Amino acid sequence: MIPVLNKEKRIKLNKKRIDNLFVLSILIIPLISFAIFYVYVNLNSFVLAFQSIDVYGDYEWVGLKNITEFLNGLKGDSRVGLSVKNSLIYWSSSFFISMPLYLLFSYYVYKKNFGHSMFFIVVMLPNIVASFVYSLVYKMFVDIALPAFMESQGFANFPSLIYDDRTNFGNNIFYSIWLSFGTSTLVYTNAMRGIDDEIIESAQLDGANNFREFFSIVLPLIWPTISTFVITGVTGIFTASGSLLVFYNMGAPTKIWGFGYYITYTVKTAVGSDFSSYPAVAASGLCVTIITLPVVFFVKWLCNKLDKTEA
Amino acid sequence: MKFIIFLIVAFFALFAVAFTFKLLSSIKVRDTINGKTTYSFRSITPSKLISSCFWGIVGAVAIVYCCSLIIPLAWSLMTALKTPVDYILNSFGFPKVEKYGLAPENFINVLQRFKLRQGTRIYGLADMLINSMLYAVVPSLSNVFWMTVVAYVMARYKFWGNKALYNLGLIVMLVPIVGNMASSMIIKKALHLYDNMYVSILIPPSTAFSGMHFLILYGAMKVVPFAYSEAAEIDGAGRYSIMFKIIIPMVIPTCATLFILEFIANWNAYENFLIWFPSTPNIAYGMYSFQSAASQGSGAATVPEILAGFIMCMIPSAILYLSSQKLI
């Protein structure tokens, strides 16, 4: 009996070993890629935050100098300080205006109100016709057609919303909100369609009106979807930059820079192998990550706390 | 002034329609015996009126929003068909066909003039189209392939570190690492991957076990019953055969959906080319640069021609999106 058991055990062990080899054969390449392009890149970025690079490419340890400079920049009107503040404005205006509208429009479509099917198709237009083309069409429309039209209506010298100093910041906020409805409306409407019809019908029989139904039934039941969007949205709280790259390439006015644009601009405009401006980017990125991290986890905790679907 | 009055009147008209529609649907009574629908006007309550008002406003705003999305597109289509003179004299309105005619040749002209000089090389439409196709197909296939096989082993095999790897993927998703672009640039330049699209697209994704797409595939793999693998194993199928011939074919619709989404995202990617591969432009980056040059007065094409180019750029994405509507 004992040799039979040993044989079975050996077969099991052998199978386990082959299983592990199989798993390793699948995971080895993605893990190497992760080690180089995620772990090493981020570790190098961390180290870079405490270094300086001269024009010859020599590295030197500078301790907390880069981080102190970033923190001092936040107090004043430096490029980086301004871009962090702007990002916060871009993100919060986009989040607090868009989110209620996404939910209201999705509920409007879900309840099959007037024009719901047209709305559902049109709202996906930017996704259908390629978002970059839509952005460029918008740019030309605002730059050429809108001033021409407003002039024909008696508004002489109507500015280009993108290039005028008085309007460019507002335009960037507007554009981010304006073009963001497609995917969100699709996801929220589908989440609402997943709600059991019997729940809605019984609420209506109990006399619940649309407001009550929306706030007391629909929102709590699609809360997992909402919280996923909120949590992933919060990760961009200090980096939101709107569509500055589309509108201005590398020539956006400094006063409307977002932090994401600051990073792209600094990295992109470094000439050849002159990386001397990179440590400042790494240090500011590190600080922003450290600030964002507790915010993300707090929002995640809050979303879980508010989730009534698990009860 | 007339325009503002028109806007206000149009908004109120839309509101009235949406309000009436909502109110009627809230007082609709369906006779279950003969199937007829009647309206019980007596059942109108202040609460129903307020609710209809609110959703009437939401409806009017939604329709105004739809119009705001359609107008720029309609303008670009109209302008793409205008002759240069018509465009200069009438840059907003409908083409004056009887006076200036239409200019469908804009679509042909832009194909000939759509060129981008990068360093010493001049890229034509065909070059950019090849780059677009390569960048849209290869990384999308590679990403979906690696995510699928990783999701397969993580969902269906018990191995040391499985749970840790899954949690690591979630942490990677949640932790917003900012500012690593500088480090990434240094490393990519050292590895000769900067401005080297043809090699970069062959590199597997750095986080194949993380992200929304991975979680979708992981969920799909978990749902497939283990009985299929066990039956195949009894029949003598090896691990790779079970994975590639039995389980993965069952989740092919999910893989296809994710491939289409990645394809569309990569087809539209101009930022990646602007930052990482400036010397090998794709159509999106080419159009972006072409338009930037034109707006600075140094371009080779007129505005109607550029807009004709935009319209043509929309076609592949629109065809793919609409033909895969059922999947998405």
Side-chain angles (χ1 to χ4, degrees):
Chain A
M1 200 62 194
I2 292 163
V4 174
L5 269 176
N6 277 343
K7 198 183 171 190
E8 269 180 12
K9 207 176 174 184
R10 225 180 307 133
I11 290 169
K12 258 190 177 174
L13 270 173
N14 205 22
K15 188 178 174 295
K16 186 78 191 155
R17 204 174 297 143
I18 297 171
D19 277 352
N20 284 339
L21 277 175
F22 168 71
V23 168
L24 189 67
S25 73
I26 297 291
L27 290 182
I28 189 83
I29 292 174
L31 285 178
I32 290 172
S33 184
F34 176 72
I36 298 170
F37 296 104
Y38 189 88
V39 179
Y40 182 60
V41 163
N42 287 313
L43 274 179
N44 188 49
S45 184
F46 180 79
V47 171
L48 203 58
F50 304 97
Q51 291 180 318
S52 74
I53 308 174
D54 63 23
V55 284
Y56 304 106
D58 295 325
Y59 291 72
E60 195 188 333
W61 288 98
V62 291
L64 296 172
K65 185 176 165 252
N66 296 328
I67 291 172
T68 317
E69 276 174 10
F70 168 74
L71 295 174
N72 287 337
L74 283 182
K75 291 176 206 158
D77 264 352
S78 70
R79 271 182 178 183
V80 65
L82 201 60
S83 59
V84 171
K85 284 174 211 158
N86 284 345
S87 280
L88 202 56
I89 298 170
Y90 286 138
W91 183 87
S92 44
S93 55
S94 174
F95 183 80
F96 291 111
I97 296 171
S98 305
M99 195 58 137
L101 286 175
Y102 295 156
L103 292 168
L104 281 177
F105 285 164
S106 302
Y107 185 73
Y108 189 82
V109 173
Y110 164 64
K111 294 307 284 182
K112 296 183 177 162
N113 284 315
F114 173 71
H116 70 277
S117 42
M118 182 197 75
F119 179 78
F120 205 53
I121 294 168
V122 174
V123 87
M124 292 304 290
L125 264 181
N127 300 55
I128 295 170
V129 300
S131 50
F132 84 94
V133 178
Y134 217 94
S135 309
L136 294 176
V137 165
Y138 171 85
K139 187 181 173 185
M140 293 187 85
F141 181 80
V142 165
D143 210 20
I144 300 167
L146 197 60
F149 173 71
M150 295 308 272
E151 203 163 318
S152 71
Q153 297 300 316
F155 298 93
N157 300 323
F158 190 82
S160 160
L161 299 179
I162 294 173
Y163 294 108
D164 192 274
D165 260 3
R166 292 163 297 173
T167 55
N168 50 15
F169 191 68
N171 172 69
N172 200 29
I173 292 175
F174 167 79
Y175 181 81
S176 311
I177 298 169
W178 182 66
L179 212 68
S180 65
F181 282 83
T183 315
S184 311
T185 310
L186 182 78
V187 172
Y188 287 131
T189 308
N190 283 337
M192 288 175 189
R193 283 174 182 162
I195 297 171
D196 197 342
D197 286 342
E198 284 178 15
I199 299 174
I200 301 290
E201 279 166 19
S202 59
Q204 283 167 352
L205 285 175
D206 288 345
N209 61 17
N210 273 162
F211 289 121
R212 193 73 201 268
E213 186 184 308
F214 179 65
F215 287 108
S216 305
I217 296 166
V218 173
L219 286 190
L221 285 176
I222 64 159
W223 185 253
T225 312
I226 298 172
S227 61
T228 307
F229 265 70
V230 171
I231 295 162
T232 48
V234 169
T235 57
I237 190 165
F238 290 110
T239 54
S241 291
S243 299
L244 294 175
L245 263 182
V246 186
F247 295 147
Y248 307 97
N249 197 349
M250 290 294 135
T254 319
K255 79 173 183 81
I256 63 167
W257 279 18
F259 190 64
Y261 186 82
Y262 158 78
I263 289 173
T264 309
Y265 179 89
T266 315
V267 172
K268 178 70 189 157
T269 49
V271 183
S273 54
D274 173 16
F275 301 135
S276 54
S277 55
Y278 284 12
V281 173
S284 57
L286 179 65
C287 293
V288 169
T289 304
I290 291 170
I291 298 166
T292 316
L293 207 57
V295 179
V296 172
F297 282 98
F298 172 73
V299 172
K300 189 175 181 301
W301 172 83
L302 196 67
C303 286
N304 288 341
K305 199 91 180 150
L306 291 170
D307 190 357
K308 289 173 188 164
T309 52
E310 279 180 13
Chain B
M1 198 61 194
K2 271 184 197 169
F3 173 63
I4 292 171
I5 294 167
F6 167 77
L7 280 182
I8 293 168
V9 171
F11 185 81
F12 273 103
L14 287 171
F15 163 73
V17 175
F19 168 79
T20 314
F21 187 91
K22 182 72 202 165
L23 189 64
L24 287 178
S25 66
S26 68
I27 57 169
K28 197 161 37 177
V29 180
R30 195 168 173 82
D31 193 331
T32 46
I33 297 165
N34 57 23
K36 276 186 181 171
T37 302
T38 53
Y39 296 98
S40 161
F41 288 95
R42 282 185 184 176
S43 68
I44 295 176
T45 58
S47 150
K48 278 181 184 171
L49 276 174
I50 293 169
S51 169
S52 303
C53 256
F54 179 75
W55 293 109
I57 293 169
V58 173
V61 172
I63 293 166
V64 169
Y65 172 67
C66 285
C67 294
S68 77
L69 281 178
I70 292 169
I71 289 170
L73 269 190
W75 171 78
S76 67
L77 188 62
M78 281 184 332
T79 310
L81 289 166
K82 281 181 184 172
T83 58
V85 181
D86 193 2
Y87 168 71
I88 290 165
L89 297 175
N90 162 41
S91 54
F92 186 79
F94 288 99
K96 291 182 174 158
V97 183
E98 61 290 345
K99 207 169 176 186
Y100 304 109
L102 287 175
E105 64 273 14
N106 288 337
F107 288 86
I108 299 159
N109 292 346
V110 74
L111 290 182
Q112 291 165 348
R113 293 179 189 175
F114 184 36
K115 289 188 175 73
L116 193 66
R117 179 186 283 277
Q118 294 294 83
T120 51
R121 210 183 143 180
I122 294 174
Y123 287 87
L125 178 72
D127 303 311
M128 290 187 234
L129 194 64
I130 290 168
N131 289 342
S132 272
M133 283 309 287
L134 277 174
Y135 194 73
V137 173
V138 179
S140 309
L141 270 181
S142 163
N143 282 0
V144 174
F145 170 79
W146 284 112
M147 277 192 281
T148 307
V149 292
V150 170
Y152 172 80
V153 294
M154 284 177 67
R156 302 182 75 86
Y157 280 85
K158 282 180 187 165
F159 59 90
W160 183 85
N162 188 339
K163 188 93 180 144
L165 197 60
Y166 182 81
N167 288 333
L168 184 64
L170 292 181
I171 291 169
V172 166
M173 263 178 89
L174 272 181
V175 176
I177 294 184
V178 182
N180 62 7
M181 192 191 270
S183 162
S184 197
M185 182 65 92
I186 293 172
I187 290 165
K188 283 187 177 173
K189 279 190 174 170
L191 295 173
H192 301 286
L193 292 173
Y194 173 72
D195 213 4
N196 191 348
M197 186 199 78
Y198 304 110
V199 175
S200 296
I201 56 174
L202 300 174
I203 291 170
S206 58
T207 50
F209 52 88
S210 180
M212 277 297 182
H213 289 184
F214 167 77
L215 290 180
I216 291 168
L217 282 164
Y218 183 82
M221 294 292 184
K222 278 267 185 202
V223 171
V224 178
F226 278 83
Y228 288 106
S229 334
E230 284 159 11
E233 207 177 325
I234 291 165
D235 288 347
R239 285 160 184 79
Y240 289 101
S241 298
I242 294 172
M243 179 170 77
F244 286 118
K245 292 184 180 168
I246 296 169
I247 308 298
I248 290 183
M250 290 183 179
V251 296
I252 279 290
T254 312
C255 296
T257 310
L258 296 180
F259 172 77
I260 289 164
L261 292 175
E262 296 234 353
F263 182 96
I264 292 174
N266 287 337
W267 180 266
N268 291 332
Y270 69 92
E271 282 184 22
N272 289 354
F273 283 80
L274 175 75
I275 297 163
W276 302 111
F277 318 118
S279 301
T280 42
N282 66 345
I283 296 257
Y285 180 54
M287 263 298 156
Y288 172 75
S289 306
F290 196 56
Q291 191 270 337
S292 295
S295 65
Q296 285 157 15
S298 56
T302 62
V303 170
E305 285 170 349
I306 292 168
L307 288 166
F310 289 171
I311 303 282
M312 284 195 284
C313 278
M314 293 173 189
I315 294 169
S317 184
I319 290 175
L320 190 68
Y321 193 91
L322 294 172
S323 60
S324 55
Q325 263 298 284
K326 278 188 183 168
L327 276 175
I328 296 172

